[in-house]
Amino acid sequence: QLDEQEKQLRSLEKELSGYEKDESDLEKSIRSDEKTIKEQEESLQVMNAELTNLSTEVLSQTSEVNAMPEGAAKEERSKYLKDLEKKKKKLTNDIKSAENRIDKSQRDIRSAQNNIPDKQVRQKETKTKIEAQQAVVRKFENKYNTIRGY
C-alpha cells in the first residue's frame, strides 16, 4: 500500500512539473514574441524610410522619362524606372509581411497571457493534492514503521 501511495505522489509531482514547464514555456514564448515585435518595428522604420525615398525617386524618374525624346536613352531610363517600381513593390510586400509578423506575435502574446493564469491555478490545485498525498504517505510510513517495530 505504501508503494502505491508513493507512486501516486510521484505521479502528482510529475503533473505539477508539467504545469510548471508549460508556464515557463509560455513565458519564454512571450519574451520571444516581444523580441520579434521589437525587431520588426525597427525593420519597419527602415523600410518605410526606404519606401519614401523610392517613391520620390519613382516620381522623379517618371517625369524625366515622360519629358525625354524617343530613343535609346529613354528606353534605358524606362528600364531603370521599371526596376525602381519592382523594388518599390517588393518593399511594400516586405512591409506588409513585417506588419503581419507583428500582428501574429501580438496575438500569440495575448493567447499566452490568457493561458498563464490557468496553468497557475492548476499548479496550485496540484500542490494541494501533493500535500494531501504526502500526508497519506506519511501515515502509511508511520503504520509501516510501527508494524516493523514489532
Side-chain angles (χ1 to χ4, degrees):
Q1 279 183 329
L2 176 60
D3 286 345
E4 193 177 301
Q5 296 302 320
E6 286 175 335
K7 186 177 177 183
Q8 220 174 342
L9 177 61
R10 283 191 300 278
S11 172
L12 285 170
E13 288 169 340
K14 189 175 179 182
E15 186 180 328
L16 175 63
S17 174
Y19 291 140
E20 289 170 340
K21 184 185 180 316
D22 289 348
E23 182 182 1
S24 173
D25 289 348
L26 288 171
E27 288 169 350
K28 283 180 191 170
S29 169
I30 288 172
R31 285 192 299 277
S32 172
D33 286 326
E34 287 171 341
K35 182 179 176 210
T36 298
I37 288 171
K38 188 173 191 278
E39 289 169 352
Q40 293 304 312
E41 284 174 342
E42 289 170 0
S43 179
L44 271 176
Q45 286 178 340
V46 171
M47 288 189 288
N48 280 322
E50 197 175 323
L51 182 62
T52 302
N53 293 338
L54 260 178
S55 295
T56 304
E57 181 68 11
V58 166
L59 287 174
S60 167
Q61 291 299 318
T62 301
S63 59
E64 280 186 35
V65 166
N66 290 338
M68 291 176 83
E70 292 298 323
K74 185 172 184 171
E75 284 180 31
E76 198 67 32
R77 190 57 64 102
S78 291
K79 275 187 194 175
Y80 176 66
L81 180 58
K82 278 187 180 173
D83 288 343
L84 285 179
E85 288 170 342
K86 275 186 193 175
K87 281 184 186 176
K88 183 179 172 184
K89 184 174 176 83
K90 183 186 179 324
L91 194 54
T92 303
N93 289 338
D94 291 347
I95 288 171
K96 199 170 287 298
S97 293
E99 289 169 343
N100 290 340
R101 282 191 287 277
I102 289 172
D103 289 343
K104 182 187 181 309
S105 291
Q106 288 171 335
R107 280 193 310 274
D108 291 348
I109 286 172
R110 279 192 300 275
S111 173
Q113 286 172 334
N114 290 338
N115 286 330
I116 286 176
D118 178 54
K119 299 298 179 193
Q120 290 170 335
V121 166
R122 289 183 183 196
Q123 285 177 42
K124 197 173 187 179
E125 291 169 352
T126 306
K127 284 177 183 174
T128 304
K129 289 179 188 175
I130 287 173
E131 289 167 5
Q133 188 61 29
Q134 286 171 333
V136 170
V137 168
R138 277 193 299 277
K139 187 177 101 179
F140 275 95
E141 284 175 341
N142 290 340
K143 222 187 236 186
Y144 175 74
N145 289 335
T146 303
I147 292 170
R148 258 192 31 207
Y150 285 112

